[in-house]
Amino acid sequence: MKKVSIIVLGSLLMIFFFNSCRKTDKFSIIPNVSFREFIQYKNVAGKDTAVDFVINFQDGDGDLGYSENEYFKCGVPQNNLFIFYEEKIGNSYVPKKFLEKIYDIDQNCDTIGERDDSLQLSFSSRMTNIQPRGSDKSIEGTVSYNLSKNNILFLSPKGRFRFYIIDRAGHQSNIEYSAELSIVK
């Protein structure tokens, strides 16, 4: 009986040892984002002067951000943090756009067509490489994007942000929305 107990105990210890050595990723290799908070800075008159837009992120293989030498690819800047502004109109949120309609006219000033050549207000940016060293590459944290006074000028009194990130492997995170942001100008 003593011999059976030693074999069982030895087997349990081996199972524990092998399970503890096995690499386990805490998160998916597809990044995940969520809204955390807004931090608003106001002047003495109570008007907003800047806003920090703070998000949470997780990534199982930690391949977020670019190194300095990875900034341009084929001459195009590589953004990986995408933030789009939506203004509140009534009870709905709609993309805040600029240059909504372009009219094509002929030499007689007659309209021959029109097209929507809008650009949505965005604050897309580039995160720097934050991949941890070592065998466990899982990473989580927060990113804070500062909207300066110049950026706030383009915001409506009420709105929200739609945002996502893309890792170096090209995996796009989930698309999330912030809480409503009220701006006092």
Side-chain angles (χ1 to χ4, degrees), residues 128-140:
T128 58
N129 187 346
I130 55 175
Q131 187 171 38
R133 294 192 171 138
S135 61
D136 183 10
K137 302 289 187 189
S138 291
I139 189 168
E140 68 179 327

Side-chain angles (χ1 to χ4, degrees), residues 15-163:
I15 290 170
F16 175 75
F17 175 73
F18 285 118
N19 280 338
S20 65
C21 292
R22 188 176 55 182
K23 183 181 183 291
T24 58
D25 288 329
K26 295 185 231 176
F27 312 115
S28 168
I29 63 168
I30 308 295
N32 184 53
V33 294
S34 62
F35 174 70
R36 182 172 180 143
E37 66 182 328
F38 290 119
I39 302 170
Q40 292 180 258
Y41 303 92
K42 298 184 179 290
N43 62 19
V44 293
K47 305 211 185 247
D48 287 295
T49 59
V51 174
D52 286 342
F53 171 59
V54 185
I55 66 170
N56 299 315
F57 68 86
Q58 297 173 336
D59 189 50
D61 57 3
D63 62 342
L64 295 177
Y66 292 110
S67 300
E68 284 187 36
N69 61 348
E70 296 178 295
Y71 185 65
F72 286 97
K73 184 175 184 179
C74 301
V76 177
Q78 297 300 295
N79 290 330
N80 50 13
L81 172 60
F82 298 90
I83 305 169
F84 302 93
Y85 185 69
E86 299 177 346
E87 62 185 333
K88 187 171 187 179
I89 298 177
N91 291 326
S92 301
Y93 294 96
V94 296
K96 174 107 181 201
K97 293 185 177 185
F98 297 99
L99 305 173
E100 289 188 8
K101 288 188 180 178
I102 303 291
Y103 295 97
D104 294 319
I105 57 173
D106 63 15
Q107 63 268 24
N108 297 325
C109 296
D110 293 325
T111 302
I112 55 175
E114 67 180 66
R115 64 183 186 276
D116 187 354
D117 205 17
S118 302
L119 300 172
Q120 183 175 2
L121 179 59
S122 72
F123 300 97
S124 299
S125 186
R126 179 179 177 267
M127 295 169 51
T128 58
N129 187 346
I130 55 175
Q131 187 171 38
R133 294 192 171 138
S135 61
D136 183 10
K137 302 289 187 189
S138 291
I139 189 168
E140 68 179 327
T142 60
V143 172
S144 180
Y145 185 90
N146 181 265
L147 296 160
S148 67
K149 185 175 184 175
N150 290 338
N151 293 344
I152 290 175
L153 292 174
F154 295 105
L155 302 182
S156 300
K158 292 187 184 276
R160 69 176 182 185
F161 295 94
R162 177 176 49 92
F163 62 96

